[in-house]
Amino acid sequence: MKGSSIQPNLAHLESWGEAAGMSAWDQYISEMQKHFDYLANWTPGYPLALGDVGVINHGIFRRITSLEQLDVSFDVREDSTPETQKYASARGVSLTFKGAGRLPVAGSVLTEAEAGFTVDFSSKHATLYEAVGCTTPSIADLLSIGEQILRLYKNAQWNRSWVTISELVNCESATILISNSSNSKLELSVKANVSSPTISIADAKAELGVAMARDMQTTILAQKGLRPLYRAVSIDDYLNNRPGTRSLAENLEEIALADLLAPDCI
């Protein structure tokens, strides 16, 4: 994965991400962060853009404004090297492909003439994620926007709990499956004329159709235009990584009253 030199502090994710009885989105966000070192956009179709400013509450980003609206300028570092991303929960996910003309396994609803995928889940909230054609544009100069944000903060125009989207994974199409039980199952027919097991379950050209679904919590099939992963930076990330700002960091509490005047976090 491509990454920036300034990383958000995600230590707080561990406590709720591993908590007993967590929700499906809790577990999904936690697993994706651990595997990719990126935060997961929930839901994956929620509109995100580089420079969006908002708050992260229980792992979920919600937009408040943008750098552009706050007159903070930045350049974008483009990414011209598409990649495929794959992830499956370490326990509880089995993915198999059946080519057209091959006999289906016992109990399958797929016909011999059909190509298709079978996904079996043996644990609750297990995740299968696959995305194709992924690129990761990013803000080119985080130090520059950090200086501009610090000026806003000192002028009571920035709330210290706000974060900025600094990197964003765009994909051509993605499949995200989350089970609802230890007995969840999904069978997908491939309508396109393919027989190769190398076809991606995230490829929109496969023209996937649901042949059978049992107890699925989330089913997103080869959906185009998703932005499933992102990175975000805060004013503290800037102060902790900017050479010569130790004194600023130590004295930041002196201007913390600016939070009382900044817009409320929602």
Side-chain angles (χ1 to χ4, degrees):
M1 296 290 296
K2 302 101 174 172
S4 70
S5 59
I6 297 180
Q7 299 295 325
N9 181 3
L10 302 177
H12 67 285
L13 292 178
E14 297 299 326
S15 58
W16 61 263
E18 296 178 348
M22 59 187 171
S23 68
W25 56 264
D26 275 337
Q27 183 162 326
Y28 171 75
I29 292 171
S30 180
E31 288 189 32
M32 298 297 280
Q33 188 272 325
K34 289 179 181 179
H35 182 75
F36 290 111
D37 194 25
Y38 276 67
L39 292 170
N41 185 21
W42 188 265
T43 60
Y46 182 79
L48 292 181
L50 286 177
D52 276 353
V53 175
V55 293
I56 296 177
N57 186 20
H58 293 290
I60 298 178
F61 176 87
R62 287 297 175 256
R63 185 184 185 279
I64 295 173
T65 183
S66 70
L67 293 182
E68 181 181 8
Q69 290 171 305
L70 293 168
D71 293 323
V72 175
S73 59
F74 63 91
D75 293 324
V76 176
R77 186 185 185 202
E78 299 292 350
D79 177 14
S80 59
T81 56
E83 63 184 3
T84 295
Q85 299 174 349
K86 295 182 180 182
Y87 172 75
S89 298
R91 298 183 299 274
V93 181
S94 172
L95 172 67
T96 57
F97 175 81
K98 186 192 84 67
R102 295 176 177 255
L103 290 174
V105 298
S108 173
V109 301
L110 295 173
T111 67
E112 181 176 347
E114 289 179 306
F117 293 95
T118 298
V119 189
D120 289 292
F121 297 90
S122 58
S123 63
K124 186 176 182 179
H125 296 168
T127 292
L128 176 69
Y129 165 91
E130 192 161 326
V132 296
C134 300
T135 57
T136 310
S138 59
I139 291 177
D141 189 348
L142 294 180
L143 296 182
S144 174
I145 69 162
E147 291 167 352
Q148 296 177 75
I149 288 171
L150 186 58
R151 284 195 292 270
L152 289 172
Y153 185 85
K154 289 180 176 179
N155 292 328
Q157 296 175 294
W158 187 273
N159 191 300
R160 192 172 178 180
S161 63
W162 289 356
V163 299
T164 301
I165 302 297
S166 59
E167 297 181 44
L168 189 57
V169 175
N170 302 316
C171 58
E172 290 181 2
S173 56
T175 287
I176 301 169
L177 307 175
I178 303 176
S179 67
N180 196 46
S181 73
S182 59
N183 193 37
S184 299
K185 183 171 184 174
L186 186 68
E187 287 198 307
L188 304 172
S189 61
V190 176
K191 298 178 182 179
N193 185 22
V194 297
S195 58
S196 171
T198 60
I199 188 171
S200 171
I201 196 173
D203 194 337
K205 293 190 294 292
E207 300 178 32
L208 298 175
V210 177
M212 187 277 289
R214 181 176 66 220
D215 208 11
M216 294 297 299
Q217 200 278 338
T218 298
T219 303
I220 298 172
L221 293 178
Q223 186 167 325
K224 296 181 179 180
L226 297 182
R227 296 179 173 180
L229 302 172
Y230 67 95
R231 277 189 174 139
V233 292
S234 70
I235 192 172
D236 294 305
D237 295 315
Y238 166 74
L239 290 171
N240 292 334
N241 288 275
R242 181 71 163 99
T245 57
R246 181 175 298 277
S247 60
L248 285 174
E250 292 171 350
N251 296 328
L252 194 60
E253 294 304 328
E254 296 179 6
I255 58 173
L257 287 177
D259 282 337
L260 299 178
L261 303 178
D264 292 336
C265 291
I266 57 175

